[in-house]
Amino acid sequence: NNNNLSESIIGTWKLDGVHNTYDYGYIDPTSGNEIITSTEEVFGPEEGYEGYLTFTDDNYVFTYDYINDTLDYEYTYVYNLNGNIIEIIDGQDTSRVTITELTDTYLNYTYTIYSTNTEGDTTFFYNDYTDLTCVKSSLPSLHDHDPHKNKSDRKNHYFF
């Protein structure tokens, strides 16, 4: 890992690769251990998809999803950088991603989502482990970077 945090995350990054591992299962009521009943791995991005992140020096991060060269989705978050942890703030929700490599041309980060749901006396879980690779880039075309203007209400396709 190259945690060269003297390099800056400021600028535009294009999604180069994503690897998701999804674990599904239940919590053993006696031991409290997670019992994995299935695992799924997904690699991306899909054909026709391009994703971009633009980090600004005033703590906004803009995300853009293009499908077949057409802007499909954009969303704006606030972010804070603390060491190799990026806090992504969306209203009252905060996600934390960990930078595992940062150079002047390459950004790699990971995040994990843990979720549980109880039905009767059984607690089920879903864990999403995500590793993303981005390369320094520029947006395909000019965009209005208004932090209050979002094209869609749905959450970002990959990034957080």
Side-chain angles (χ1 to χ4, degrees), residues 51-135:
Y52 296 85
L53 291 168
T54 299
F55 289 92
T56 67
D57 59 5
D58 58 355
N59 294 86
Y60 286 105
V61 58
F62 301 92
T63 62
Y64 304 94
D65 286 352
Y66 288 82
I67 306 294
N68 298 321
D69 298 322
T70 301
L71 181 63
D72 179 61
Y73 167 76
E74 63 184 280
Y75 200 82
T76 305
Y77 301 90
V78 173
Y79 79 93
N80 292 313
L81 180 63
N82 184 10
N84 68 331
I85 304 295
I86 307 171
E87 292 182 327
I88 306 297
I89 302 161
D90 182 20
Q92 302 238 339
D93 297 325
T94 300
S95 302
R96 287 174 183 79
V97 301
T98 302
I99 298 172
T100 55
E101 186 168 358
L102 176 62
T103 69
D104 60 342
T105 59
Y106 184 81
L107 170 63
N108 181 269
Y109 66 90
T110 62
Y111 67 87
T112 304
I113 298 171
Y114 299 103
S115 179
T116 60
N117 178 41
T118 301
E119 295 178 20
D121 62 355
T122 304
T123 300
F124 297 94
F125 70 86
Y126 158 81
N127 297 334
D128 173 1
Y129 307 98
T130 302
D131 182 48
L132 287 104
T133 303
C134 300
V135 293

Side-chain angles (χ1 to χ4, degrees), residues 15-57:
L15 179 65
D16 191 48
V18 63
H19 175 210
N20 292 88
T21 302
Y22 304 104
D23 288 341
Y24 304 90
Y26 64 93
I27 308 290
D28 181 284
T30 305
S31 67
N33 294 331
E34 291 183 347
I35 306 300
I36 297 172
T37 57
S38 67
T39 298
E40 177 184 6
E41 285 191 286
V42 177
F43 296 88
E46 299 102 357
E47 175 113 10
Y49 173 85
E50 289 185 7
Y52 296 85
L53 291 168
T54 299
F55 289 92
T56 67
D57 59 5

